[in-house]
Structures are given as C-alpha cells and as structure tokens.
Amino acid sequence: MKRLLLFFLMHIPTFLYAQINWGDYSQSFPAGTMDKPENVGLILAIPKTNNSFWSVRSKSVHFDAFTRDTSFTASRPSDMQTRTTFDTANAQFFLHGVNKNNASLYLFRVMEYPSQKVLVPWKSITRFTESSVIRSAGLPQMAYLGGYKTGLGSMLIMDVRKKDHLSIIATSLVAWESIRPSVSSIYTSADLDIFLQKLQHPWAKSTSADTAQYSLDNIRLPAANNNLVFMLSADIYAKNQVQYQLIHNDQVIRNWRNNEYDNNFIWLKDFSPGQYRIRIRYAVQPKHVTEYAFEVEPAWHQSFWFKLVILGMGVVVIGLILFVYLLIRQRRKTRQEAANRQKLQLELKALYAQLNPHFIFNALSSIQGLINRQDLKGANEYLSDFARLMRESLTGSNKEETSFQQELQTMKTYLKLEQLRFGFQYTIQVDEQIDVSATSMPSLLWQPLLENAVKHGVAALQQAGRIFIQFEKTNNALILRISDNGKGIVTQETSSGFGLKLTRDRIHLLNELNNEQPISLVFNDRSTSGTEVTLSFTHWFL
C-alpha cells in the first residue's frame, strides 16, 4: 500500500502543484495588462528573494541577441517582457484575461534559448488559478501556464497565440544568469563613522572622504583595528541571502553560515593576529565563491621578535637561577668538603700527636737501657741523636707531607738510634728514578713499620740482625719495602700493635682526603726468613 501511495505521489499531474503564494513572488507584465479584466497579457512571476540582484545584472546578453534575430522577432509583439533570475526555482507564468470560458481559444509554447530547443510544444490551456491565489492576488481567474526553468546561462521563451492565428500575441523572456559576490568597498575601525553614516543615509552622495583606505588586493590591518566591513555590490535585504566562511592561518574558524545582518555587508570584529581568508557566496548559487585575503599585524607584544626577546630573557633568567643554585650548591659542597678535610686533618694531627708519645716512650726506654748498662757514652750519643730526631719530628708535625729527602734523613737518624741500642745492620736503597728533592710523602708514616722491624725482627738478633729498606718507582707509584731477617710476626701482632693501628688509621684518613692517590699497606710474613712490609703510594708521580 505504501509503495502504491509513493508511486502515485511521484506521478501526480503537474496541475496539482500549479498554485503559488502570490505574495512571495514579484510579477512582470506589459503596461495596461491589469487595467481591464478582459485585457490579455502574460504575467511572469519569480521569487522575490532574487530581486536584489537586478541591481547587479538586470539584463542578459541573450536579450540583445534575441532582439537582433529577425527570425524570432518578426512574429512577436514589440512589448515583450524580459527578466533575469538567479535562482534554481521555477519561473511561473500566468495569462491575464484568459479563464475557463475563453481558454479554448489560446495555445502556449515554451522554448529554450540559444539552443532553440522546444520544451513544451504548442499546447492548449487546461489549468487556472485557484480561489486562494485569486484572493491573495486580487485579480480575476487567470490561466496558469506552469512553472519552468533552465540552466544558468540559458533563457526560456514563453509564447502565446490564438488557435486560428499563427502570429504570437504575447511573449515573456526569462534568463537564468550566474552571479558571484563582489565587494565594492571596505571599511575599518579608522573609517567606521563613514560606514555608519552611509547606513543611516544610503542615498547621500559619496565624497572624497568616503574613499577606502585599503585596497582589496592588499588588506593589511594594524593590531589596534578590530573592525572590518566588506560592502557587497548587490542590494541585500535578508541575511539568508549571503553566506561566508572565515579561515585563519589555514584553519576554518567559521564554517559556512548565513550572514549576521539583513544588509549588503559582512562585518567582522575582534581579530587575533595572522593570515585570514574570507570566502563569500550567495545562497542562491553556492557554487560561485569569491575569496578575499587579509592580514592582521601582531601587536608589539605579540610580535615574533618580542616573543624571541622574552624567550631569551626567560632563558637568561632560568640560566641565572640555575647558575646561582649550582653556585650555592657548589659552595655548600666546597664548605662541606673543606670542613671534612679540616676534620680529617685534625684527626691526622691527633693521630700524629698520639704517635709522638709512643715514639718518645720507646726512645726513652732505649736510653734507659743504655744507662742501666752504664754505657754513658752511648746514652749521650743517643740523647743527641734523639734531640735531633725530635726537632725534625716537631718541624714536620704541622705539615701533611714533608720532602722525601727530609724523611730519608729522619729515617737514617732513627735507625742510627736503634742501632746504638741493638747493634743490627741496615741498608737503605733508593731508586735512581726518584728525585729526592722534588718528591714528598706523609711525615713519619714509615716509623711504626720500621719500629716493628726492629722490635719484632732484629732486636733479639743484636749484631746478626739485618734490615733492608728499598724505595722504588713503579708505574708512577712510590713503593716502600721494609724487610728484616727476624723470626717473623703473626697476624694478630700486626693488627693489634698500637703504632700499626695508628698507621692504618692515618692511611684511611689520607685516602679520604685524597682518593685519587690511595695508599695501601701489605704485610708479607715469611715465617722463618723474617717479615716484609710494603707501603704503596699509587699514582704518586702523576
């Protein structure tokens, strides 16, 4: 049933759709047609919406071509009606003076020009205006010839004649013309008052002050401008006649929509800097688009150079903040390192202060032994050497390091003192690669090691005891080896001795102060053949 109804609707005869809302159309007809009910004349009706475009193109080129063609004009009256239209809607044709009583006397035809194609051959009149159209038009019943249209760039010819005559008694020409929006002038914030005055008094004559400040080919607006008005050359009275699209920096910020004003201008407001394109079209012919480009300059605080300067200043400020932060952190780190270094140095001095009483106690014990043996001469020599040793020791007590040459002299004095007591023999060998005057080493770091070689190694052997001391340079390291031919010492003794404990503590502190030149201590117990101690100063000559 639904399909049958749809088929019926698609094939309803045209006459059922013949009537129009007379007030929505404008009519064209020969002068005097409406003077008497019996006057016969063609009435051409087209939608009022398109009336405004007549000011742009009121005539078609086909009109002139048609009037020059004698084969067409010879059989037609001179008072032909000509109209242009721009809509795709049908043009409606009525025949005044013809009704149901006399319609059988007339025929009509529809042709296309310039193709000269006959759309409707000579045809009898069978349709008439209904009562609703008669009331709204205020006219008597008329013949309705139908609504017709053709493509843009073509024209329709409506002819009317009597059945018994070949000559045409009425002709109407209607041409469908293409139209594209055109801007006649532009106004900005600088001349907005002129634009407003023209809106109030559109009939006023233009003056030189009305001249636009900008060319349509190069619209460049300052940042302070926030108004741009495009005046269209057509007479527009409805906002739905004009549509426009706005593009900013290749991004559509306003899609196709009707204009905001019922007038022949487009008013743009409040811009951000950048490149713009406005595309304008008439709703009646949306395929015909006119495009204008314009640019809004950035304000000084929006310019690239200002942003670059701000960015540079920001980078500088961040850099200064980072620099100050790193400086403060580095100074804090430096103060902390200095405090740690000072603490380590104080601890070293404390250890050194503990070492001296230990050494003095052992030396005084040796002097006491000499006195007890009634060896006054030996005791006097010992005291003299001991005094010199104390002076050298006190001289180096305020220094972290002393020269290799001074340490070597102190070592010899110490061995000489112990030799007076125990009578052993000793040998000191220095590598020729070592510059004794340019090399330094921690003061008296060797003393407890040498003391152990004497006390635990050669003391019991007396004159048979042998101590061998060797300084050598190996791969930029200073190596000190102290070996003896004593009975050797056990691990517990090397670990629990007071002097050795102080030595290990000093090495630990020295390594914390300077971890790039670490010092290591190694005992090599050879049991029956004595003990060898190795003191290594790594990277000492770098």
Side-chain angles (χ1 to χ4, degrees), residues 217-229:
D217 298 328
N218 183 25
I219 307 176
R220 189 177 178 88
L221 305 175
N225 184 87
N226 55 9
N227 291 281
L228 181 61
V229 180

Side-chain angles (χ1 to χ4, degrees), residues 301-326:
H301 56 85
Q302 295 173 321
S303 65
F304 170 76
W305 293 111
F306 179 79
K307 292 179 180 178
L308 188 62
V309 169
I310 292 298
L311 179 62
M313 291 176 63
V315 171
V316 171
V317 170
I318 293 173
L320 286 174
I321 293 173
L322 184 60
F323 173 76
V324 171
Y325 167 75
L326 293 176

Side-chain angles (χ1 to χ4, degrees), residues 7-78:
F7 178 82
F8 175 75
L9 291 173
M10 293 176 62
H11 293 82
I12 293 177
T14 308
F15 68 84
L16 294 180
Y17 295 98
Q19 310 311 320
I20 64 172
N21 186 354
W22 194 261
D24 293 338
Y25 286 76
S26 63
Q27 298 82 31
S28 296
F29 46 84
T33 300
M34 304 288 190
D35 293 348
K36 297 179 180 180
E38 64 272 16
N39 289 346
V40 177
L42 269 173
I43 298 177
L44 169 63
I46 61 174
K48 282 183 177 180
T49 308
N50 295 321
N51 285 357
S52 59
F53 299 116
W54 293 344
S55 61
V56 180
R57 187 174 296 173
S58 61
K59 292 185 178 181
S60 170
V61 293
H62 297 313
F63 297 161
D64 295 332
F66 182 80
T67 55
R68 288 195 301 267
D69 191 341
T70 57
S71 64
F72 280 91
T73 59
S75 59
R76 289 177 171 84
S78 58

Side-chain angles (χ1 to χ4, degrees), residues 34 43 92 146 258 322 332 340 352-353 492 538:
M34 304 288 190
I43 298 177
Q92 308 291 333
N258 292 339
L322 184 60
R332 187 182 296 118
N340 290 338
Y352 197 83
Q492 289 81 358
T538 309

